[in-house]
Amino acid sequence: MSAKKAVYTHGHHESVLRSHTWRTAANSAAYLLDSLQPNMKILDVGCGPGTITADLAAIVPEGQVIGLEHAPEVLKQARSIADERGLTNVRFEVGDVHALEYPDDTFDVVHAHQVLQHLGDPIQALREMRRVTKPGGIVAVRDSDYSSMTWYPEVDGMEEWRQLYLKVARANGGEPNAGRRLHAWARKAGFDPSQISATAGTWCYYTPEERAWWSGLWADRTVGSSFARSAIDNGHASEDELHQVAEVWRKWGAEEDGWFAVLHGDIICRC
């Protein structure tokens, strides 16, 4: 049976990659790092522009890392980042996590960051991640949880942005509150519940520079990315309404007391 299809809500607009290239193993996969050994073979699912992938490759210099991405256009940037860092133990491939083209028991670690929330069948994806992981290996997943995001002050329109995002993401076939569901999905995918460790992590944006960056990329993403096209095409918002949402983000970013926290669910599943 083929997996249910979903549309990637964000796409790879510059405003999206501005966020993705900020991500590192330290700020986005810290829950996993203590489990890594220098000679491990790692699959990084949904690697995007490859910044986390490159960090993982640097951590396992005697091992090998494969960055897997459904969208081939972003892999040029991923390969460039790896080349700039002189990494020779990493390569990037196009593939579908619902049907991985690797034999059983291939990898020591299979990692996915902010991927499952965008999939039509995250349980099937976890089954495939489990299949290609060696006995004793690790499947590690992190996803955000949009309804758990919180901010200050309560600028008019910010909650409306969240509700709009939830509608658009779900209409595209994803689940924006994936973080709270990861452990349950893992159990349904066949992982032994006693071998699942579920934790939570955060990103926090507070300084003027952080607020300007976070609010700016969301303002631009709201009107310029695939999110905007999906919102308009599916009748969730007009172009004028999206521009109003973008201005709400800029207003929040200009607040001297502004503070924003993103909650993530993390799981480590031992095979």
Side-chain angles (χ1 to χ4, degrees):
M1 181 181 297
S2 62
K4 292 177 286 186
K5 297 296 183 182
V7 175
Y8 179 40
T9 295
H10 300 299
H12 292 95
H13 183 262
E14 181 278 329
S15 61
V16 178
L17 294 180
R18 197 186 317 162
S19 169
H20 291 184
T21 54
W22 167 83
R23 298 172 183 174
T24 65
N27 67 29
S28 299
Y31 71 100
L32 169 64
L33 300 186
D34 287 346
S35 300
L36 300 183
Q37 299 295 327
N39 62 347
M40 282 182 161
K41 186 173 184 178
I42 300 175
L43 177 65
D44 187 23
V45 174
C47 65
T51 51
I52 297 175
T53 320
D55 282 351
L56 295 175
I59 293 169
V60 295
E62 301 163 29
Q64 182 184 15
V65 179
I66 298 175
L68 188 76
E69 176 57 51
H70 187 64
E73 63 271 14
V74 76
L75 291 184
K76 181 178 179 181
Q77 184 173 359
R79 294 184 179 106
S80 177
I81 287 172
D83 288 345
E84 288 171 5
R85 294 181 59 174
L87 297 167
T88 58
N89 63 332
V90 59
R91 70 178 190 268
F92 296 93
E93 299 177 351
V94 176
D96 179 2
V97 67
H98 295 102
L100 295 171
E101 296 182 359
Y102 305 107
D104 296 359
D105 308 336
T106 298
F107 299 96
D108 298 293
V109 176
V110 179
H111 168 261
H113 181 267
Q114 311 298 352
V115 175
L116 267 60
Q117 65 184 283
H118 300 294
L119 301 181
D121 194 343
I123 295 170
Q124 171 61 17
L126 283 165
R127 289 191 189 107
E128 277 291 273
M129 294 167 73
R130 178 172 175 258
R131 179 184 65 79
V132 302
T133 303
K134 298 175 183 177
I138 290 172
V139 172
V141 179
R142 166 181 267 207
D143 268 279
S144 56
D145 194 287
Y146 276 76
S147 289
S148 299
M149 293 182 182
T150 188
W151 54 82
Y152 181 84
E154 294 292 338
V155 171
D156 287 345
M158 285 290 286
E159 184 57 40
E160 287 74 10
W161 157 76
R162 178 180 7 225
Q163 294 306 316
L164 174 62
Y165 183 86
L166 294 175
K167 290 178 183 178
V168 172
R170 286 176 175 146
N172 282 340
E175 177 44 69
N177 289 338
R180 69 187 68 186
R181 292 171 163 84
L182 295 180
H183 67 291
W185 287 344
R187 285 199 300 272
K188 291 179 181 178
F191 288 97
D192 181 344
S194 69
Q195 298 300 308
I196 301 171
S197 173
T199 56
T202 59
W203 292 330
C204 186
Y205 306 104
Y206 160 72
T207 68
E209 295 78 15
E210 290 168 346
R211 291 197 314 272
W213 179 78
W214 184 243
S215 63
L217 69 85
W218 269 106
D220 294 344
R221 185 182 297 190
T222 299
V223 297
S225 73
S226 296
F227 169 83
R229 292 195 298 275
S230 293
I232 293 170
D233 291 347
N234 292 325
H236 298 300
S238 67
E239 187 172 349
D240 286 345
E241 287 169 334
L242 291 178
H243 280 280
Q244 291 171 16
V245 172
E247 287 307 308
V248 167
W249 266 107
R250 297 191 189 283
K251 182 178 179 181
W252 173 82
E255 290 283 346
E256 184 178 5
D257 294 327
W259 178 93
F260 198 107
V262 178
L263 181 70
H264 312 277
D266 308 326
I267 56 169
I268 287 183
C269 307
R270 298 192 179 273
C271 298

